[in-house]
């Protein structure tokens, strides 16, 4: 086991991945998250505790609410989602694929979007420039995020995982699709 295992396990759950995204710029409580995600308050609280335990979210504020106290959490910026470089990439990819399937099912009919899938070979400087620009664009999008369903906003789904591919070792199959006969 590595030191990153608890963090990876926390991020590898689709609901926790959505929570990190939802609380990126706007602190939300377990009650608000339960309504947004369609899960119980207890389950939302459990997910928040797990994310807090590994340092992905932090307590942003405590507010009085109906005679009780409402704890609101926000994402800790600079999360490991921004640059995966370890064995947990497949775990994160599985959670992202789950969320992508869910979001694709909720796509606004007829709305414009961008869809792309690619396996390309480019010069290292082209890759470095593209990666930097893409990270900056997603940073801008995260920075512009508001509370879910806030007036004057539109909900969007965005899932991206871009990375260099490893070359197969000599004599190792490269998983190319086989021709069908």
């Amino acid at each position: 086991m590595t030191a990153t295992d608890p963090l990876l396990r926390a991020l590898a759950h689709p609901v926790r991945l959505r929570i990190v995204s939802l609380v990126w710029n706007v602190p939300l409580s377990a009650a608000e998250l339960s309504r947004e995600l369609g899960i119980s308050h207890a389950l939302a609280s459990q997910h928040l505790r797990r994310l807090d335990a590994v340092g992905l979210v932090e307590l942003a504020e405590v507010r009085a609410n109906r005679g009780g106290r409402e704890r609101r959490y926000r994402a800790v910026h600079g999360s490991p989602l921004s640059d995966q470089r370890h064995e947990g990439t497949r775990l994160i990819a599985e959670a992202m694929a789950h969320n992508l399937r869910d979001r694709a099912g909720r796509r606004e009919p007829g709305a414009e979007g961008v869809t792309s899938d690619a396996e390309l070979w480019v010069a290292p400087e082209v890759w470095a420039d593209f990666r930097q620009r893409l990270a900056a664009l997603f940073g801008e999008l995260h920075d512009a995020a508001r509370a879910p369903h806030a007036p004057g906003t539109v909900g969007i789904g965005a899932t991206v995982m871009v990375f260099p591919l490893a070359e197969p070792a000599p004599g190792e199959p490269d998983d190319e699709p086989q021709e069908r006969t």
Side-chain angles (χ1 to χ4, degrees), residues 20 23-28 48 56-61 72-77:
V20 171
V23 299
W24 190 261
N25 264 10
V26 180
L28 297 173
L48 278 171
L56 290 169
V57 299
E58 62 189 1
L59 183 61
E61 63 182 319
R72 300 180 89 218
Y73 291 83
R74 71 171 160 247
V76 174
H77 289 206

Side-chain angles (χ1 to χ4, degrees), residues 47-130:
H47 285 307
L48 278 171
R49 282 192 302 275
R50 182 82 180 266
L51 291 167
D52 186 38
V54 298
L56 290 169
V57 299
E58 62 189 1
L59 183 61
E61 63 182 319
V62 179
R63 301 190 311 186
N65 186 6
R66 298 184 197 166
R69 292 178 6 163
E70 178 181 62
R71 299 168 62 87
R72 300 180 89 218
Y73 291 83
R74 71 171 160 247
V76 174
H77 289 206
S79 85
L81 278 177
S82 61
D83 191 11
Q84 291 295 311
R85 295 182 186 202
H86 45 69
E87 74 283 355
T89 301
R90 285 183 184 234
L91 294 172
I92 303 303
E94 286 297 322
M96 290 174 74
H98 180 278
N99 285 341
L100 177 59
R101 282 189 298 273
D102 175 65
R103 288 182 187 129
R106 295 185 289 130
R107 183 176 181 161
E108 179 72 31
E112 291 183 354
V114 176
T115 302
S116 181
D117 182 55
E119 185 167 324
L120 311 167
W121 276 252
V122 298
E125 62 275 9
V126 171
W127 161 242
D129 179 61
F130 177 80

